[in-house]
Amino acid sequence: NARFDKATFTGNARFDKATFTGNAGFGESRWRTLDWSGSRWETTSVITTGLAAERIVLDRVVFEEPVQLELAAASIIMKRTRAAERLHLVVAGAEVDLEDADLPKGSLIEAAPISVPTNDGKGSVPGSGSWVPIPKLRNEHGVIDAPDGMMLHQWLGHVHALLRLDRDLSAALTHAPRASVTSLQRAHIAGTTLSGMDLRACTFTSADGLDELVITGDDILTNNHGERDETRAWPAYGRKWWRTGRRVLHDELTLRTSHATTETSGEPATTPTAPLTHRNVSATYRSLRKALEDSKDEPGAADFYYGEMEMRRLAAKPMSVERWLLTVYWLISGYGLRAWRALAGLVVVIAVAGWCFTKDAWAARTTTKTPTSVNLDTGAITSTAPPPEGLSLARAWLFATQETVALFRPAGLSGVTLASVGHIVDLAVRILGPVLLALAVLAIRNRTKR
C-alpha cells in the first residue's frame, strides 16, 4: 500500500516504472510535476480525489485493472498510455494529450469544474482560498520560530517553497479554461466517450476507432471556420450573418491556414504520422459522422457530412469532373444541407426563365382562331387569328413558376405558346425546378430529423 494523502511536493516527483499492487492514496495532494511515466497499476483502489498539480505525466503507463482518476492540472500527458480495462478519467482544467494512447471500449474521459479549496478546509468554493496550506511564520509572541529540528533558514526556505507552489498552482488552475483534448493522433479510442471535453484544438490525424467514438457536450468544437464578427448583435455574434454555423475540426482549420503543418508542436513525432491532407481529414469527418449517426444524432452528423464533402471537393483535382460536380452540389444546396441556397437557386432560375419568356420570338400568348366566313358550296370555313401577343414580365414569371411543377401536370395548359429557344428554356425549368425543390426539402429534413 502507498499513501500520499495530503502530501505536498514543492519540486518534481518521479515514479518512473513504479508498480502499484495495493491501495494507492493521493487524495488532496499537491504537486508541481507528478511523473508516473512507465508505471504499472495492478490495483483498482486508487484514490486521487482533490489531487492538484501543474503538470501530470502518464506516458507509457499501463493500467491492468479498471481505474478511476480525478485529476486537476494545467497539463496531462498520456502518450502511449495503455489500459487493459475500463479507464475513467475525470479532468479539471487540463490540456490532455492522448497521442498513441490505447483505451479499451467503455472508457470515459469527462471534464469537471475546478474547485479551489477554502482557507478553513471545510469545503470548496470556486475562486477562493489557497491550494497549499501555508504555516504561520511567527509564533504567538510574534517571533519567527522554526520547528524543532529545523534551522531558521531551512524553515524560511520551506515556507517560501510552499508559497511559490501555491502561487504557481493558483496561476495554472484558478483561471484555467475547460478541460480539453489536444491530440488523438494514432490513438486507439474505439468505444471511448469524451464528455464535455473541449476539442477545438484537438488533432484527430490517424486515430483508430473514430467511427465508434462518442462525443457529448455543448460548444466543444470551433463553429463556422472560427471566423468571428464581434460587431454584430446576438444571435449573429461570433459568425458571419450569411453563414450557417457548423462544427469544424481543428484538422480542417490547420489545412486552411497558409502555414499548415503535419505537426502541431515543434517536437518530432514519436511515431510516423500520415500527412495531413484533405483526403485524410475527409476520412476523419466520415468516421465521426458515422459515430454520431449510430448514436442517433442526425443533426450533429450533418455538420460532419458537410465537412467531409468539403474536404472531398478540395482534394479533387481542379479540372476534374468530381471537382466540378461537387462544386455545383455545394453551390446550389450546400451538399443537401443548406435549404436557403436551393431556394435562392430556384428564385434565380425562375427570374432568368421569366426574362427569357418575355421575348416575343420565344414565347407568346396562345391565340384562338375565329371563323369569319363559310363557303356554302364547298363547306370550307375561313378563320383568322389575332396577331401573337407577347408576355408581360409578371406573366412570364408566373408562367416560369408554374413550369417548375410541370412534372406534376400535363403540359400545354398554361395559355402560352413556345417557339424556338423557348422550348429549351421551358425544359430546363421543368428539370431544375423540381430538383431544387427536392434539395431544399432534403436540407430541411437533414436538419430536423431525429
Side-chain angles (χ1 to χ4, degrees):
N1 299 329
R3 303 296 297 271
F4 293 89
D5 300 282
K6 298 185 179 180
T8 299
F9 288 78
T10 58
N12 298 332
R14 303 173 65 89
F15 294 82
D16 300 60
K17 300 181 181 179
T19 300
F20 295 85
T21 58
N23 298 329
F26 294 86
E28 303 297 332
S29 56
R30 300 291 180 261
W31 315 75
R32 185 172 298 280
T33 296
L34 174 56
D35 192 343
W36 279 326
S37 297
S39 60
R40 179 178 295 271
W41 301 74
E42 301 175 358
T43 176
T44 60
S45 180
V46 182
I47 306 300
T48 58
T49 305
L51 185 154
E54 279 192 84
R55 184 168 178 260
I56 299 176
V57 182
L58 293 166
D59 288 352
R60 305 182 310 281
V61 171
V62 177
F63 295 100
E64 298 288 355
E65 302 292 338
V67 171
Q68 176 175 333
L69 299 178
E70 300 177 32
L71 306 174
S75 173
I76 298 178
I77 303 175
M78 301 181 64
K79 295 183 178 181
R80 296 189 179 182
T81 296
R82 183 175 68 83
E85 301 289 342
R86 180 179 184 270
L87 174 64
H88 183 187
L89 186 63
V90 182
V91 181
E95 295 182 350
V96 183
D97 185 349
L98 289 165
E99 184 177 316
D100 293 299
D102 187 354
L103 303 182
K105 187 173 183 179
S107 294
L108 170 63
I109 301 177
E110 62 174 314
I114 292 179
S115 183
V116 182
T118 57
N119 287 323
D120 56 12
K122 296 181 180 180
S124 59
V125 178
S128 66
S130 60
W131 288 96
V132 179
I134 308 300
K136 294 182 179 180
L137 274 176
R138 302 177 184 272
N139 57 24
E140 63 273 12
H141 303 294
V143 178
I144 298 179
D145 187 16
D148 293 340
M150 183 177 292
M151 301 295 291
L152 180 59
H153 71 277
Q154 294 175 328
W155 173 239
L156 292 175
H158 171 68
V159 175
H160 175 71
L162 293 176
L163 288 170
R164 187 173 58 182
L165 177 61
D166 180 69
R167 180 198 63 194
D168 294 342
L169 286 176
S170 297
L173 299 176
T174 303
H175 303 291
R178 181 170 56 179
S180 63
V181 177
T182 60
S183 177
L184 289 172
Q185 293 188 83
R186 301 177 302 277
H188 177 76
I189 49 175
T192 298
T193 299
L194 302 178
S195 178
M197 299 295 292
D198 192 327
L199 302 175
R200 287 181 176 86
C202 182
T203 301
F204 292 85
T205 306
S206 303
D208 178 46
L210 287 175
D211 56 338
E212 299 181 43
L213 177 66
V214 180
I215 300 175
T216 61
D218 299 324
D219 195 27
I220 59 176
L221 286 169
T222 301
N223 187 41
N224 202 37
H225 304 305
E227 296 179 357
R228 302 185 64 80
D229 185 3
E230 299 181 0
T231 61
R232 297 190 57 80
W234 187 91
Y237 174 87
R239 60 180 174 83
K240 303 299 184 182
W241 65 269
W242 64 83
R243 289 181 177 236
T244 302
R246 70 178 177 94
R247 292 182 292 180
V248 183
L249 297 183
H250 177 70
D251 293 347
E252 178 181 344
L253 295 177
T254 302
L255 274 178
R256 288 181 180 274
T257 57
S258 58
H259 55 278
T261 59
T262 58
E263 293 296 329
T264 57
S265 64
E267 300 177 359
T270 55
T271 304
T273 304
L276 190 60
T277 64
H278 292 98
R279 291 290 183 189
N280 290 339
V281 178
S282 175
T284 298
Y285 270 121
R286 182 162 53 252
S287 297
L288 292 174
R289 172 176 62 84
K290 180 180 181 300
L292 291 183
E293 288 175 345
D294 292 343
S295 62
K296 307 302 180 183
D297 183 5
E298 295 292 347
D303 283 346
F304 289 157
Y305 175 72
Y306 191 103
E308 174 190 348
M309 297 300 293
E310 188 75 349
M311 293 297 99
R312 279 187 57 191
R313 180 175 70 87
L314 296 176
K317 295 181 179 180
M319 301 305 295
S320 64
V321 175
E322 180 185 10
R323 180 67 171 263
W324 283 102
L325 286 177
L326 292 177
T327 299
V328 172
Y329 190 26
W330 162 76
L331 186 63
I332 65 175
S333 67
Y335 308 113
L337 295 173
R338 301 293 184 261
W340 71 268
R341 292 192 192 181
L343 294 176
L346 180 62
V347 171
V348 171
V349 169
I350 292 175
V352 173
W355 176 81
C356 292
F357 291 143
T358 59
K359 304 295 183 181
D360 295 345
W362 295 352
R365 291 180 182 273
T366 301
T367 57
T368 303
K369 292 183 179 181
T370 304
T372 56
S373 62
V374 179
N375 189 324
L376 298 178
D377 296 331
T378 62
I381 301 175
T382 303
S383 301
T384 58
E389 181 181 353
L391 301 179
S392 65
L393 184 60
R395 182 69 179 87
W397 280 345
L398 178 60
F399 173 67
T401 303
Q402 291 175 337
E403 292 302 278
T404 60
V405 292
L407 290 179
F408 308 105
R409 64 170 179 79
L413 301 180
S414 56
V416 176
T417 300
L418 301 173
S420 182
V421 181
H423 290 288
I424 299 176
V425 175
D426 182 62
L427 180 61
V429 171
R430 284 171 173 261
I431 294 175
L432 294 177
V435 169
L436 292 172
L437 283 173
L439 288 174
V441 172
L442 175 64
I444 295 173
R445 173 56 179 163
N446 286 333
R447 283 296 184 183
T448 58
K449 67 181 179 180
R450 298 161 56 187

